[in-house]
Amino acid sequence: MKPKKLHLLLLWMLCCSGVAEAIEPISTTLAVGVAAALTGFLASYPNILYYFHECCRPEWISFNRTGLEADLQSKLFGQHIASRIILKAVNGFMSNDNPKKPLVLSLHGWTGTGKNFVSKMIAENIYKEGMDSKFVHIFTSTLHFPHPSQNATYKAQLQQWIRGNVSSCERSMFIFDEMDKMHPGLLDSIKPYLDYYDKLDGVSYRKSIFIFLSNAGGEGIIQTALDFWKGGRDREEIELKDLETALSLSVFNNDKSGFFHTSLIDKNLVDFFVPFLPLQYEHVVQCAMAEMKARDLEPDRDVADKLARDLVYFPKSERVFSVKGCKTIESKLDYYT
């Protein structure tokens, strides 16, 4: 910006903020002087404004690999498969200055297992403002796309929202929650943005991240985990290959899934399907202890045990897996502390 224009802009900002009115007894000459001084200062430090207003620059968007790894290790419990995939996927993508396509992750599992939590971790270790960043966008199926009869309108709006936001910042993140409640076919409207294109209408989507969250596939994942438990095998022995068949059947062939008959699957545009295992008693205890620490409270194992014992588990006779995972820990902890 030219010095004269910057001078006028700063003067306008001072007047609009009430500064000029506050110094009216002396006259606006002082305001002009302040604006002139600031103009000279900012001319010497042209990037200073970037530190006070979030923008699409490294000062605000910078991947912290060590931070993500530490968060996955210390805050996400019982998810050895998901932790490994997420770290490798995000690190590989963010380390590539010229990716061929956007990173597309699809997270699957029962409620309370950590899907939203992981999305938050990723955002917090890429964007300085975390989930509050204006470059992180969340779509919830039941809120943003509630009526099947409006599917055509939703498709047009979704394309417009994504195109507009990526035009503003190529390092945008889009999180789609409740994919199992999304109307089939809606996702096909954004298929071009996830594909291997350098640019579409002058816009490059290759550095953006798309994350889909779904309960679809949860029952198959639970059954596999239960089979391992009944067989006396450690859950850490479960590998991705043990879950892929059950996951594909539940996600791709379910006519209630947002992925049903979508070209995203046919074209292999989803980079990773990430399974989240059901949580057991010890994981709920770990969640409670971590929540206490997050509140600057001294972690109390007795409190964590009492909270974990009072939750509902299944199968009823064995009480192996928590019905709601760690989803209600934050609200229930207030009662136990």
Side-chain angles (χ1 to χ4, degrees):
M1 183 177 292
K2 295 181 180 180
K4 183 177 180 180
K5 290 184 178 180
L6 182 58
H7 180 99
L8 293 174
L9 174 62
L10 290 168
L11 178 58
W12 176 82
M13 290 170 64
L14 284 168
C15 292
C16 288
S17 64
V19 173
E21 182 179 352
I23 60 175
E24 187 57 36
I26 303 176
S27 85
T28 57
T29 302
L30 179 57
V32 174
V34 171
L38 286 174
T39 300
F41 175 74
L42 292 174
S44 301
Y45 301 94
N47 291 332
I48 194 69
L49 286 177
Y50 296 133
Y51 290 93
F52 296 97
H53 180 71
E54 186 186 20
C55 53
C56 191
R57 288 174 57 89
E59 290 88 350
W60 295 92
I61 305 175
S62 181
F63 178 51
N64 182 356
R65 184 194 188 283
T66 303
L68 179 59
E69 184 174 15
D71 284 347
L72 290 170
Q73 289 179 350
S74 63
K75 299 178 182 179
L76 183 67
F77 307 111
Q79 304 298 352
H80 63 284
I81 299 175
S83 294
R84 184 169 61 250
I85 296 175
I86 293 296
L87 183 60
K88 289 185 177 180
V90 177
N91 181 56
F93 179 74
M94 293 301 296
S95 300
N96 187 351
D97 292 330
N98 188 31
K100 300 300 182 184
K101 64 180 291 297
L103 175 63
V104 184
L105 303 173
S106 189
L107 315 186
H108 298 266
W110 208 246
T111 183
T113 53
K115 301 184 299 295
N116 281 284
F117 195 32
V118 163
S119 301
K120 180 181 178 182
M121 287 183 188
I122 296 172
E124 289 179 342
N125 285 287
I126 293 178
Y127 303 91
K128 187 176 181 180
E129 296 294 296
M131 293 295 286
D132 293 327
S133 171
K134 64 182 181 181
F135 306 122
V136 176
H137 313 279
I138 302 176
F139 300 99
T140 302
S141 295
T142 53
L143 175 63
H144 295 100
F145 317 112
H147 307 296
S149 61
Q150 299 295 315
N151 226 24
T153 300
Y154 296 150
K155 287 181 179 182
Q157 290 176 337
L158 190 55
Q159 290 177 334
Q160 182 179 356
W161 288 334
I162 293 176
R163 186 186 305 114
N165 284 299
V166 177
S167 297
S168 299
C169 183
E170 61 183 358
R171 283 293 188 191
S172 293
M173 178 185 290
F174 301 92
I175 301 172
F176 291 81
D177 198 4
E178 299 182 344
M179 279 294 300
D180 47 303
K181 297 180 179 66
M182 181 174 285
H183 312 305
L186 181 56
L187 270 188
D188 277 339
S189 65
I190 66 171
K191 179 257 179 187
Y193 306 145
L194 311 184
D195 216 329
Y196 293 82
Y197 294 113
D198 286 340
K199 287 185 178 182
L200 291 170
D201 295 329
V203 180
S204 174
Y205 298 85
R206 293 180 300 158
K207 291 187 177 181
S208 297
I209 297 177
F210 292 80
I211 302 178
F212 303 117
L213 311 179
S214 177
N215 288 349
E219 292 183 2
I221 295 171
I222 288 172
Q223 186 58 54
T224 299
L226 192 58
D227 289 343
F228 268 70
W229 179 81
K230 288 180 177 179
R233 302 173 64 183
D234 195 306
R235 68 186 280 128
E236 297 291 327
E237 296 180 43
I238 302 176
E239 299 180 13
L240 181 60
K241 65 181 182 180
D242 298 314
L243 299 165
E244 286 178 325
T245 300
L247 190 58
S248 62
L249 290 174
S250 299
V251 175
F252 312 145
N253 299 326
N254 184 347
D255 60 3
K256 295 181 179 180
S257 168
F259 285 110
F260 183 62
H261 285 179
T262 176
S263 61
L264 269 66
I265 306 302
D266 299 337
K267 300 295 184 180
N268 297 311
L269 298 182
V270 178
D271 298 299
F272 298 94
F273 287 93
V274 187
F276 281 70
L277 298 170
L279 300 183
Q280 296 177 235
Y281 178 88
E282 61 267 26
H283 305 127
V284 176
V285 170
Q286 289 176 306
C287 287
M289 299 281 279
E291 179 62 25
M292 289 183 222
K293 186 176 181 180
R295 298 186 185 187
D296 294 325
L297 300 174
E298 184 67 29
D300 189 323
R301 175 72 193 215
D302 291 337
V303 171
D305 275 326
K306 182 170 178 54
L307 189 158
R309 283 196 301 270
D310 289 348
L311 296 186
V312 179
Y313 294 83
F314 69 95
K316 288 185 178 180
S317 56
E318 293 93 348
R319 286 175 54 88
V320 182
F321 301 119
S322 170
V323 170
K324 295 184 179 180
C326 287
K327 195 176 186 68
T328 60
I329 294 298
E330 185 176 350
S331 58
K332 286 183 176 295
L333 190 60
D334 293 328
Y335 174 78
Y336 290 89
T337 55

